[in-house]
Amino acid sequence: MSAPANNATQQTMTSPGDMFNLENPVFCCYLFWATVLVAKMLLMSLLTAVQRFRYKIFPNQEDLFFKNLEVKFDDPHVERVRRAHRNDMENILPYFIMSLIYISTNPNANVACNLFRVASVARIIHTLVYAVYPVPQPSRILAFATMLLITFYMAAVVALRTLSFI
Amino acid sequence: MSAPANNATQQTMTSPGDMFNLENPVFCCYLFWATVLVAKMLLMSLLTAVQRFRYKIFPNQEDLFFKNLEVKFDDPHVERVRRAHRNDMENILPYFIMSLIYISTNPNANVACNLFRVASVARIIHTLVYAVYPVPQPSRILAFATMLLITFYMAAVVALRTLSFI
Amino acid sequence: MSAPANNATQQTMTSPGDMFNLENPVFCCYLFWATVLVAKMLLMSLLTAVQRFRYKIFPNQEDLFFKNLEVKFDDPHVERVRRAHRNDMENILPYFIMSLIYISTNPNANVACNLFRVASVARIIHTLVYAVYPVPQPSRILAFATMLLITFYMAAVVALRTLSFI
């Protein structure tokens, strides 16, 4: 009785329905790099806070932790970090969904894992050259374009695979 | 020995645990339209870039690709696209999560697929009438409200189904 | 023939591959609280609209629903809600992905469910003390830090579990 059961379990494990579990190395690789990017994004909030305290720029009346301060906006040091953070939201958040659903198409493990790695490292570089230590272009444009193109590639793969469900 | 195994696999395929795979037409329909919306959102970044180069409005010192330029903000042509893009993030990104988890409640395939289609087309119209060619209201409000109401409907379905886990 | 099949199905249900279905109480708890947070985020859009109509502050030419109005920006009542909304996007959207993939590591059900509950209630408090009725600090900082720390904890769990896929 136990032999058929094991057999059935094995078959299920390799069926197309079981992509989102820790036995799928592509999903594990997604987990690791998505986690890195989530942590990176949250650190942008802390970096904004650091800049706000360093230059004493607070946007709300209740945030004026020092005497003789007024609410202030448009400080270039704070706004640079906020632009980088907004750019993260514009690009990384759609990438999270796109790469997650891309896994369901059962892509080649090498291709998928390397896309996740390159896209994630590119966005870390994007943050470094935008918010931490600004350097001349085209460094930021290249880092930006890397994740953008990878997300478009995944979109093309998924859209072609599911075109009949339009 | 193979008969029970096949039987078991089939049972598993139709169990409530197997919603997120390519054998579920609702998930496939989600994949297609989520991909369309991801691509649409990324195009907003490129549309912003087009406007920045057309009107020569750059927010960072290192972006001044032309001589005798200074950093500039608040250009109405650029800001309109950025407002449309921010509105996308405010509405489409929560919709991605909401509609993905809505699939796990095993909704009627016709209802779910049509909700995905209507919501996605509504947001494409929203972009056209907001960022590409501004037209009088209430066209934008109607396009905005369509996805909002669909997301609230899915939220109601999921919340009622999982209310005991509060 | 039916006994092995049932046996196999049961085995599959408790295998690590079946986290994202309604038989997993952790996933159900995620569904409920993610839905609450999605609804809360969408209500920020409506709260912004309420403020815009109350103070007659509209950012687009086509939105001037009343006579003798001009487009206006930087109204403090509207901008406060928009800052709260942006803060939601910066924190809740990465949390949605982080907590969803955290479920795949098969965490202790009590721990995971309570993390979801505390993080969600903290963000509802964050909105109340930021956008609805501003109160002195550190109430907002504490509410903000609660979800941030929970997301970092989940990130640590997932990253350590998948470190070999770097």
Side-chain angles (χ1 to χ4, degrees), chain C residues 119-138:
Chain C
S120 305
V121 171
R123 285 308 298 197
I124 293 171
I125 293 173
H126 183 274
T127 297
L128 293 177
V129 302
Y130 199 171
V132 178
Y133 188 81
V135 300
Q137 294 280 21

Side-chain angles (χ1 to χ4, degrees), chain B residues 1-164:
Chain B
M1 226 172 90
S2 65
N6 283 336
N7 193 5
T9 308
Q10 275 185 340
Q11 263 187 268
T12 313
M13 280 303 117
T14 55
S15 85
D18 290 283
M19 291 301 159
F20 301 110
N21 64 65
L22 296 184
E23 291 171 21
N24 178 6
V26 175
F27 184 62
C28 289
C29 188
Y30 171 82
L31 289 189
F32 181 79
W33 287 104
T35 301
V36 168
L37 286 177
V38 164
K40 193 209 78 56
M41 283 188 75
L42 297 183
L43 288 176
M44 298 303 281
S45 289
L46 301 183
L47 186 54
T48 306
V50 165
Q51 297 290 73
R52 287 203 183 284
F53 275 88
R54 187 198 281 179
Y55 297 101
K56 298 202 172 65
I57 307 291
F58 299 104
N60 300 297
Q61 199 65 39
E62 69 266 27
D63 300 345
L64 303 174
F65 295 104
F66 306 97
K67 279 183 184 173
N68 305 322
L69 271 190
E70 293 191 3
V71 293
K72 260 194 250 175
F73 305 93
D74 299 331
D75 178 80
H77 303 95
V78 174
E79 290 307 309
R80 174 175 283 274
V81 177
R82 293 184 81 229
R83 281 198 299 277
H85 198 172
R86 180 175 160 148
N87 196 284
D88 275 0
M89 293 199 286
E90 289 173 355
N91 289 279
I92 299 179
L93 295 175
Y95 163 84
F96 279 151
I97 289 291
M98 195 66 243
S99 47
L100 182 65
I101 64 182
Y102 167 69
I103 297 171
S104 71
T105 65
N106 196 11
N108 178 285
N110 263 330
V111 172
C113 289
N114 283 324
L115 289 178
F116 298 159
R117 286 166 189 142
V118 171
S120 305
V121 171
R123 285 308 299 197
I124 293 170
I125 293 172
H126 183 273
T127 297
L128 293 177
V129 302
Y130 199 171
V132 178
Y133 187 80
V135 300
Q137 294 279 19
S139 46
R140 200 181 85 229
I141 287 181
L142 291 177
F144 167 81
T146 303
M147 177 178 271
L148 194 78
L149 291 176
I150 287 175
T151 313
F152 272 127
Y153 167 76
M154 292 174 175
V157 169
V158 173
L160 288 174
R161 186 73 173 269
T162 58
L163 198 56
S164 57

Side-chain angles (χ1 to χ4, degrees), chain A residues 1-2 4-6 8-9 12-13 17-18 20-36 38-43 45-46 52-53 59-63 65 73 81-83 85-86 89 93 96-97 100 117, chain C residues 3-4 7-8 11-12 15-20 80 83 86-87 89-91 93-95 97-98 100-102 104-106 129-130 134-138 140-141 144 147-148 151-152 154-156 158-166:
Chain A
M1 226 172 90
S2 65
N6 283 336
T9 309
T12 311
M13 281 304 118
D18 290 284
F20 300 111
N21 63 65
L22 296 184
E23 291 170 22
N24 178 6
V26 175
F27 184 62
C28 289
C29 188
Y30 171 81
L31 289 189
F32 180 79
W33 288 103
T35 301
V36 168
V38 164
K40 193 210 79 56
M41 284 189 75
L42 297 184
L43 289 176
S45 289
L46 301 183
R52 286 203 183 284
F53 274 89
N60 300 297
Q61 198 65 40
E62 69 267 27
D63 301 345
F65 295 104
F73 306 93
V81 177
R82 293 183 82 229
R83 282 198 299 277
H85 198 170
R86 180 176 160 147
M89 293 198 286
L93 295 174
F96 279 151
I97 290 292
L100 181 65
R117 287 166 189 142
Chain C
N7 192 6
Q11 265 186 265
T12 312
S15 85
D18 290 283
M19 291 301 158
F20 301 110
R80 174 176 281 274
R83 282 198 299 276
R86 182 178 158 147
N87 196 283
M89 293 198 286
E90 289 173 356
N91 290 279
L93 295 174
Y95 162 85
I97 290 291
M98 195 65 244
L100 181 65
I101 64 183
Y102 167 69
S104 71
T105 64
N106 197 10
V129 302
Y130 199 171
V135 300
Q137 294 280 21
R140 198 180 89 230
I141 288 182
F144 167 80
M147 177 177 271
L148 195 78
T151 313
F152 272 126
M154 292 174 174
V158 173
L160 288 174
R161 187 73 173 269
T162 57
L163 198 57
S164 57
F165 296 89
I166 192 168

Side-chain angles (χ1 to χ4, degrees), chain A residues 2 8 13 16 37 41 71 77 84-85 87 92 95 97 109 113 118 138 140-142 144 154 157 162:
Chain A
S2 65
M13 281 304 118
L37 286 177
M41 284 189 75
V71 294
H77 302 96
H85 198 170
N87 196 283
I92 300 179
Y95 163 85
I97 290 292
C113 289
V118 171
R140 198 179 88 229
I141 288 181
L142 291 177
F144 167 81
M154 292 174 174
V157 170
T162 57

